[in-house]
Amino acid sequence: MPSAADPSRLDRFTVPDASGHFGRYGGVYVPETLMTALEEIARVYEEAKKDPAFQNELRRHLKEFAGRPTELYFAERLTKHIGGAKIYFKREDLLHTGAHKINNALGQALLAKRMGKPRVIAETGAGQHGVATAAVCAKFGLQCVVYMGAVDMERQALNVFRMRLMGAEVRGVEAGQRTLKEAINEAMRDWVTNVRNTHYILGSALGAHPYPMMVRDFHRVIGQETKEQILAKEGRLPDELVACVGGGSNAIGFFFDFLEDTQVRLTGVEAGGRGIRRGDHAARFEGGKLGVLQGAKTYILQNEDGQIELTHSVSAGLDYAAIGPEHAFYRDRNRIQFAYACDDEVLDVFQLVSRTEGIIPALESTHALVHAIKRAAEMRPDQILIVNVSGRGDKDVQQVQKMLEK
Amino acid sequence: MDRIQEAFSRAHSENRACFVAYVCAGDPDFETSVSVCRALAESGVDVLELGVPFSDPLADGLTNQLAAQRALESGMTAARVFELVRRIRQFSQVPIVFYTYYNLVFANGVEAYVKQAKEAGVDGMLTLDLPPEEAGDVAAACGKHGVKTVFIVAPTTPDSRLPKIAGQATGFIYYVSREGVTGVRDQVAGNIPEAMARIKKATTLPVVVGFGISTRAHVAQVAAQADGVVVGSALVNCIRENLADRSRIPAAIAAKCGELVAGTRR
């Protein structure tokens, strides 16, 4: 329920508060065993944030290993095809390992080293965060275990092999619906057990404090670059930014440096799956309600009793029952708008963008493109819309091929 | 004196540790679960820790995850869990502590949930993913409705956190004897006496020890060191092993429970 708060008075640096709350969202809802580890991460992260040596090292790895900065690309043929606003792509798909996830994986791997933790665990849905974590662990010589739902292992088999090639152990999770949520549960169980020598590189803007804040900060570079690039190319700010939202890490990193530019509309796109019916989608703002899952208070798809609902999306990376708490906070304040895209629209736009631009976007990012195309068509040609193409679709081509053959 | 306090003083006066038994409500089905709770109450259990089945039990090992799954698949809902407590109250005054996850308490309002629990006959609540920092609403509702709170201390908990935890707990303190999830282990952790000494400096409440305790020898070892001993997965295994003939479950669990309870004498 949006409040009457004045968005022009947003101060993005007031959240989260010292206890990890974004207004009524966020917090630290974990078993006692993990409290000390979370406090340590928060403390070490705050030190690292202010340490120029840490920041310089991170910047260097982002450039040399990950390939930053990424381009801001004018999608000229797609823009002509739609006939509305100018559409730009922020090319996070060009990063090493294929998606924005590497920004956060690098940052947290450096933190693991700083804390002297030799072992790293991670969860992964689409496999992109798992691949990014496997890569940084190989690079820094850290032991790496990645938890992945058995269903996701099947639909993202290529990424499983990539992780293993880079020396990670991939553990399949057979519980529940065998996707991202169960992978996080299993990673948390591992962490509770091995907390003394293990750092958990959580891959989205989810979980207990300080994860949502820390993951956001490591992805802020996306929005910072975008702002500089659009000012250089167009001499003005864009009219709208669009990003897909699973947990919401690419979106919050993309949006963050525009939060106070209230003339820029910010839109997150959730997974509408087969349509907004119980169990058929993963659009938390369409039928979800306030609850607590895996560390944070936020919007969650759940039944009357608080049992977590099954979710569905064509894209493994958006197939999750909860949304990052900061998104819920800015939605209440009317600063981030939300929409959803359904599987069939995603399949169409996946092909359209491949054909018109020679760029195969990840199925996750394609959700943002579906909405961006609808919006651009309603906008004037002198207006500017930027889509965060958070990842590349190489991992998805086999799955899409199968679906198109049906 | 409330039922939880009474259970601890009675055990103390009989020179034994309190025996706390965990099973999941509705595992493997409602009627069998009623019989399981009756068998436990009649086998010398001092406190019954009733797991409220949750779809995402991230502090639990495989044994208890599967128990929760069986319970949910058999149709357990919040209303049925309260119904189970009312059924137990028809034949037993054993103190009942909910072992639960916060979303289940939060979903329809914390206070409404605690009130219903109290009315059904629940004595205490242990919310696994609710550290004292976030427990204000639950503590207030429990205070208002006379439900005791139970909080966890872990081996990783530093002394500096103990006053905060002790300050929120009104029933007892649950010391998790090792890092990890619930489940049977070969050996009891070796750190218990030191941990007891640390915790007792911060609280006058009873302290129970759980996680990984599964044999009479384990129970005897812990009984010498703590006010209470919690056994869960070893009892849940009695359910799992007899799923083919559910009528055998209550007797199997009573036999196991009797053996473990004998270990509580000091």
Side-chain angles (χ1 to χ4, degrees):
Chain A
M1 67 210 83
S3 73
D6 175 3
S8 66
R9 292 184 53 209
L10 279 182
D11 182 353
R12 60 203 158 108
F13 295 109
T14 60
V15 290
D17 63 20
S19 59
H21 295 88
F22 299 86
R24 62 177 179 153
Y25 306 104
V28 187
Y29 295 89
V30 296
E32 173 62 27
T33 308
L34 296 178
M35 289 301 290
T36 305
L38 287 167
E39 282 166 9
E40 181 191 9
I41 296 169
R43 191 182 65 245
V44 173
Y45 175 63
E46 285 304 322
E47 289 163 12
K49 199 152 78 170
K50 293 179 204 124
D51 178 357
F54 180 91
Q55 294 299 338
N56 285 337
E57 189 181 2
L58 177 57
R59 249 193 304 276
R60 180 166 65 83
H61 294 310
L62 283 172
K63 178 169 184 290
E64 296 173 358
F65 187 69
R68 298 213 75 90
T70 60
E71 286 299 323
L72 182 68
Y73 165 84
F74 175 42
E76 195 173 354
R77 289 197 68 226
L78 182 66
T79 297
K80 260 192 204 133
H81 180 83
I82 303 303
K86 285 179 90 169
I87 302 171
Y88 279 88
F89 292 173
K90 178 60 176 166
R91 297 292 309 277
E92 293 294 292
D93 60 311
L94 291 176
L95 286 172
H96 177 47
T97 68
H100 72 290
K101 297 290 188 187
I102 192 83
N103 302 325
N104 169 56
L106 272 171
Q108 287 202 45
L110 289 179
L111 271 191
K113 277 180 56 183
R114 198 177 172 105
M115 292 186 291
K117 306 256 167 137
R119 180 173 181 271
V120 158
I121 56 170
E123 84 296 340
T124 197
Q128 292 304 115
H129 174 57
V131 168
T133 303
V136 298
C137 287
K139 174 178 169 57
F140 294 119
L142 299 163
Q143 189 195 342
C144 181
V145 175
V146 178
Y147 290 92
M148 189 170 188
V151 167
D152 291 338
M153 283 178 77
E154 193 189 319
R155 54 181 168 177
Q156 299 291 350
L158 188 64
N159 273 342
V160 175
F161 185 62
R162 292 165 81 197
M163 287 184 264
R164 288 178 173 154
L165 266 180
M166 291 186 282
E169 183 190 336
V170 182
R171 295 188 186 164
V173 179
E174 295 286 349
Q177 72 175 71
R178 299 182 292 163
T179 58
L180 180 58
K181 174 167 67 74
E182 290 74 23
I184 295 178
N185 285 338
E186 212 50 42
M188 299 270 290
R189 291 182 187 117
D190 180 314
W191 200 28
V192 169
T193 309
N194 301 296
V195 61
R196 289 179 201 264
N197 76 343
T198 298
H199 175 62
Y200 179 16
I201 301 190
L202 184 60
S204 198
L206 292 166
H209 180 71
Y211 281 104
M213 171 185 77
M214 182 168 72
V215 174
R216 171 198 78 196
D217 289 353
F218 285 135
H219 286 302
R220 266 184 71 185
V221 63
I222 306 172
Q224 287 166 337
E225 284 177 10
T226 301
K227 200 170 199 174
E228 264 176 44
Q229 289 165 325
I230 197 67
L231 288 174
K233 282 177 197 280
E234 294 279 356
R236 70 174 184 92
L237 292 174
D239 297 281
E240 181 159 356
L241 301 182
V242 182
C244 65
V245 182
S249 66
N250 90 80
I252 200 69
F254 186 43
F255 294 159
F256 193 74
D257 278 69
F258 291 89
L259 280 169
E260 281 152 6
D261 303 312
T262 50
Q263 73 274 34
V264 182
R265 184 181 167 96
L266 308 174
T267 307
V269 185
E270 299 185 278
R274 291 180 289 251
I276 306 300
R277 291 174 302 270
R278 210 167 245 226
D280 274 351
H281 69 100
R284 288 64 45 103
F285 291 133
E286 307 289 334
K289 64 171 185 171
L290 193 61
V292 170
L293 180 66
Q294 294 171 336
K297 188 182 281 181
T298 184
Y299 271 81
I300 295 167
L301 292 166
Q302 55 184 312
N303 76 6
E304 303 71 24
D305 280 355
Q307 306 290 352
I308 309 308
E309 293 269 1
L310 299 183
T311 53
H312 165 80
S313 169
V314 66
S315 79
L318 304 184
D319 195 353
Y320 182 66
I323 192 163
E326 192 162 7
H327 287 286
F329 174 78
Y330 284 118
R331 177 175 175 267
D332 282 0
R333 308 184 76 170
N334 260 330
R335 185 61 194 104
I336 303 180
Q337 320 296 319
F338 286 86
Y340 62 88
C342 292
D343 289 356
D344 49 355
E345 305 172 288
V346 167
L347 278 183
D348 288 346
V349 168
F350 184 81
Q351 296 168 81
L352 174 69
V353 171
S354 299
R355 217 165 44 231
T356 55
E357 293 297 341
I359 292 170
I360 303 175
L363 285 173
E364 289 75 16
S365 320
T366 309
H367 284 70
L369 288 161
V370 167
H371 185 73
I373 285 171
K374 287 183 198 163
R375 286 286 302 156
E378 299 163 3
M379 291 161 73
R380 296 187 314 271
D382 64 328
Q383 292 185 296
I384 299 166
L385 185 154
I386 310 177
V387 187
N388 191 27
V389 179
S390 55
R392 69 181 86 130
D394 304 32
K395 68 185 173 58
D396 299 313
V397 292
Q398 272 188 320
Q399 185 194 348
V400 170
Q401 186 184 19
K402 271 189 215 158
M403 294 175 75
L404 292 177
E405 280 166 1
K406 265 184 199 164
Chain B
M1 208 188 284
D2 64 87
R3 280 189 286 242
I4 291 176
Q5 232 178 323
E6 258 172 41
F8 280 98
S9 11
R10 190 170 53 244
H12 184 76
S13 69
E14 292 169 8
N15 197 27
R16 59 182 180 84
C18 226
F19 187 75
V20 184
Y22 167 93
V23 286
C24 181
D27 176 25
D29 59 67
F30 186 89
E31 287 304 329
T32 309
S33 195
V34 172
S35 308
V36 161
C37 293
R38 184 194 296 271
L40 289 170
E42 290 169 357
S43 309
V45 164
D46 296 297
V47 176
L48 180 59
E49 210 175 68
L50 210 47
V52 183
F54 182 45
S55 53
D56 292 85
L58 55 79
D60 282 298
L62 189 61
T63 300
N64 289 349
Q65 288 172 47
L66 291 173
Q69 200 175 318
R70 287 192 294 268
L72 290 173
E73 280 167 5
S74 82
M76 286 308 282
T77 58
R80 293 289 274 167
V81 173
F82 291 134
E83 181 59 29
L84 177 67
V85 174
R86 283 191 288 271
R87 284 282 292 275
I88 297 168
R89 283 287 167 254
Q90 290 172 8
F91 56 75
S92 173
Q93 291 305 307
V94 65
I96 295 174
V97 175
F98 270 1
Y99 173 104
T100 189
Y101 289 86
Y102 188 48
N103 201 49
L104 301 179
V105 180
F106 180 79
N108 292 299
V110 169
E111 198 188 325
Y113 188 90
V114 171
K115 183 164 179 276
Q116 283 184 76
K118 176 68 183 183
E119 284 166 1
V122 171
D123 300 286
M125 297 230 313
L126 166 55
T127 312
L128 269 291
D129 53 351
L130 193 69
E133 284 83 350
E134 303 285 359
D137 291 351
V138 167
C142 284
K144 180 169 171 190
H145 294 287
V147 173
K148 299 290 175 179
T149 56
V150 177
F151 281 86
I152 285 181
V153 171
T156 51
T157 304
D159 288 347
S160 58
R161 284 185 60 76
L162 290 174
K164 201 182 306 185
I165 296 168
Q168 288 283 27
T170 56
F172 54 92
I173 298 284
Y174 187 137
Y175 178 64
V176 166
S177 63
R178 62 180 76 228
E179 292 112 63
V181 293
T182 55
V184 170
R185 305 286 199 295
D186 290 340
Q187 282 194 328
V188 173
N191 59 0
I192 295 171
E194 296 82 354
M196 287 303 115
R198 287 204 300 133
I199 298 167
K200 290 285 185 181
K201 276 186 204 155
T203 185
T204 54
L205 290 175
V207 182
V208 307
V209 175
F211 278 39
I213 299 166
S214 60
T215 67
R216 179 176 167 167
H218 293 168
V219 172
Q221 184 186 334
V222 175
Q225 301 164 338
D227 301 309
V229 186
V230 190
V231 177
S233 299
L235 296 170
V236 174
N237 278 337
C238 298
I239 297 175
R240 198 201 59 196
E241 286 158 8
N242 289 289
L243 286 172
D245 181 0
R246 295 182 178 191
S247 66
R248 295 167 57 141
I249 290 173
I253 219 160
K256 179 74 183 176
C257 187
E259 171 198 327
L260 295 168
V261 166
T264 61
R265 307 215 166 274
R266 294 190 176 119

